Each structure stands twice: as C-alpha cells, then as structure tokens.
C-alpha cells in the first residue's frame, strides 16, 4: 500500500459533496495505491474510516464455513468500501482485496461524520447506496436458496461483464479465477469447472487462461430463466 494522489473530483465522496467541501476533502483524505492481490482491509481489523474506490476493481469477501471464502460482491471505481462496518461495528465484518492495481481514497470516521452533517446530498446518496445494497443482498439470498447452481454461475458471468467491461478482444476485462467464481456463486471449483466445460462445448463462452468471453448472452440467460 502506497500513498498516491487523486483529482478531488471523480470518486463517490467528491462527486456528491458540495464543491466548497472539496478543500476540506483534499486536506483530510488520503489516497492509497494497492497492488493486485493486496488487502485493503481485513475481516476483524479495527474500523478507522471508509474507502472510496478511485481506480480499479476490488472483491469484497468474508470467511465462511470450513475456512472457505464467500465473495459478497465485486466493486469498481465510484463504489464505496467499509461502509457496512460504520453501524455499531468496531471491526470490519468483511475483507476487501484488490483484483488489479487500484486506488482508493480514505477518510476517517470523524471526517465522515462531519461530511454527513455538512453535505445533505452526500448523506442522501449514502442512504440510497445502503438501500440498493440491501435490495441486492436480498435478491442474492433468494437466488442462493432457489436458483440452481448453473443459473447462479450464468448470472455471475453476466454481472462480471457488466461490472468489469470488455477488453479489445471482447473478453471480460478482469480475469477472475474459477475458485473466485465458485466462492461468489456459493458453489465448488469442481462444479464451476464442469459447467464451464459444458459452456465451452456449446460455444456459449470462450476462455483464454483465466479470461472469459461470452459469445451467446441469450443462451446464457436461459440457464437463469430455467
């Protein structure tokens, strides 16, 4: 982790605060650079503040049963990290790890509280953020309970394409391991491997190492609808 710089304009914090507050942000915030695979914060760490992703992609995850990992969500530039721990938590209930080299702006709990009191627009946007994440979490729990594993993996592939975008070769821009896909879909590596073999045989997807290209969105969606 290294101290870096941002333009005081692009992250969630700067976008939704009043322009006059940016001088205070520039003094109070710290922008950190993280290498791929580096931990931004770990489950059980003391909560000292909140992170706003400025560049790159991050996975948010927690320890599950039998020392297995459950991926809660993938986050991108413009998203917020660590905000769930701000409600009656002394420690982070989840971990955040860089999926590629990334930057995140950090502010302390005290400055966040001052920002809430001074910037009603920012406070409202944070309320919307909590509501949207709650809705998404409820949908995810429903899918884990009622959607078969092929549908969950197919939905994740489409979500990855939406979050990460595509590179020049039309592959999903961030290469995600099969184990991470299993950890997000509530499945196993073996099940993901078998389903990918089926998708490859039917030419619904293509792969190059860990990189994935979706060739037939309609066919992939059929697994979700079924």
């Amino acid at each position: 982790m290294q101290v870096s710089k941002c333009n005081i304009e692009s992250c969630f914090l700067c976008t939704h605060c009043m322009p006059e507050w940016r001088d205070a942000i520039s003094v109070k915030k710290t922008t950190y650079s993280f290498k791929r695979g580096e931990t931004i914060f770990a489950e059980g760490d003391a909560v000292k503040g909140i992170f706003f992703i400025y560049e790159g992609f991050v996975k948010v995850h927690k320890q599950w049963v039998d020392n297995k990992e459950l991926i809660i969500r993938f986050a991108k530039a413009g998203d917020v990290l660590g905000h769930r721990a701000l409600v009656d938590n002394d420690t982070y209930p989840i971990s955040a790890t860089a999926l590629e080299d990334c930057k995140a702006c950090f502010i302390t709990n005290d400055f966040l509280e001052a920002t809430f009191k001074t910037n009603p627009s920012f406070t409202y946007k944070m309320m919307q953020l909590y509501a949207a994440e709650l809705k998404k979490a409820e949908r995810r729990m429903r899918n884990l309970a009622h959607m078969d594993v092929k549908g969950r993996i197919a939905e994740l592939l489409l979500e990855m394409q939406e979050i990460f975008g595509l590179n020049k070769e039309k592959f999903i821009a961030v290469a995600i391991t099969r184990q991470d896909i299993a950890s997000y879909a509530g499945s196993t590596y073996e099940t993901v491997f078998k389903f990918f073999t089926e998708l490859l045989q039917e030419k619904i997807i293509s792969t190059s190492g860990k990189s994935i290209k979706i060739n037939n969105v309609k066919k992939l969606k059929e697994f979700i609808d079924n």
Side-chain angles (χ1 to χ4, degrees):
M1 178 176 66
Q2 295 181 333
V3 177
S4 186
K5 293 181 180 180
C6 76
N7 61 10
I8 314 294
E9 292 180 359
S10 302
C11 75
F12 186 99
L13 174 64
C14 297
T15 301
H16 298 300
C17 284
M18 64 179 73
E20 295 84 357
W21 194 247
R22 289 179 182 173
D23 287 341
I25 293 173
S26 65
V27 173
K28 294 292 186 178
K29 67 89 186 169
T30 305
T31 303
Y32 294 107
S33 294
F34 299 91
K35 295 293 185 182
R36 179 179 179 180
E38 189 173 358
T39 299
I40 297 172
F41 57 80
E43 188 174 347
D45 284 354
V47 176
K48 297 180 180 179
I50 188 171
F51 292 84
F52 301 88
I53 304 175
Y54 178 61
E55 289 179 4
F57 299 98
V58 174
K59 70 174 180 178
V60 179
H61 54 102
K62 72 180 284 91
Q63 287 300 113
W64 207 237
V65 294
D66 300 325
N67 290 321
K68 293 180 180 179
E69 180 182 85
L70 178 67
I71 294 179
I72 308 299
R73 65 186 176 102
F74 295 112
K76 64 184 184 302
D79 288 344
V80 185
L81 299 173
H83 52 291
R84 295 182 184 179
L86 297 175
V87 183
D88 296 329
N89 278 306
D90 296 325
T91 60
Y92 290 108
I94 42 89
S95 301
T97 303
L99 288 171
E100 61 176 18
D101 292 356
C102 68
K103 293 181 181 180
C105 297
F106 172 82
I107 60 171
T108 64
N109 292 335
D110 289 342
F111 184 65
L112 177 63
E113 184 175 348
T115 302
F116 279 140
K117 293 177 179 178
T118 311
N119 294 267
S121 177
F122 172 77
T123 304
Y124 178 67
K125 288 294 182 180
M126 285 295 292
M127 289 174 61
Q128 288 183 313
L129 174 70
Y130 278 108
E133 289 203 354
L134 178 59
K135 182 179 180 180
K136 188 174 181 179
E138 289 172 345
R139 181 184 174 211
R140 177 124 186 261
M141 292 303 296
R142 182 198 66 201
N143 288 349
L144 285 171
H146 299 293
M147 184 183 287
D148 68 23
V149 67
K150 289 184 178 181
R152 298 199 303 269
I153 296 170
E155 187 172 58
L156 170 58
L157 292 177
L158 293 170
E159 184 176 337
M160 285 167 52
Q161 180 169 280
E162 181 181 352
I163 294 173
F164 302 139
L166 303 176
N167 62 20
K168 294 179 181 178
E169 290 75 34
K170 304 301 182 182
F171 284 86
I172 294 173
V174 178
I176 301 294
T177 68
R178 306 297 184 265
Q179 185 57 58
D180 276 353
I181 290 171
S183 297
Y184 187 95
S187 181
T188 63
Y189 175 89
E190 292 76 16
T191 299
V192 171
F193 181 84
K194 289 178 182 177
F195 185 45
F196 268 43
T197 300
E198 178 182 340
L199 295 175
L200 287 164
Q201 289 174 344
E202 296 182 14
K203 295 183 170 53
I204 297 173
I205 66 169
S206 303
T207 60
S208 176
K210 296 176 184 176
S211 298
I212 302 167
K213 180 195 292 184
I214 299 175
N215 300 320
N216 194 325
V217 171
K218 182 179 178 182
K219 284 287 186 181
L220 199 57
K221 285 183 176 179
E222 288 179 2
F223 290 100
I224 302 171
D225 296 337
N226 292 335

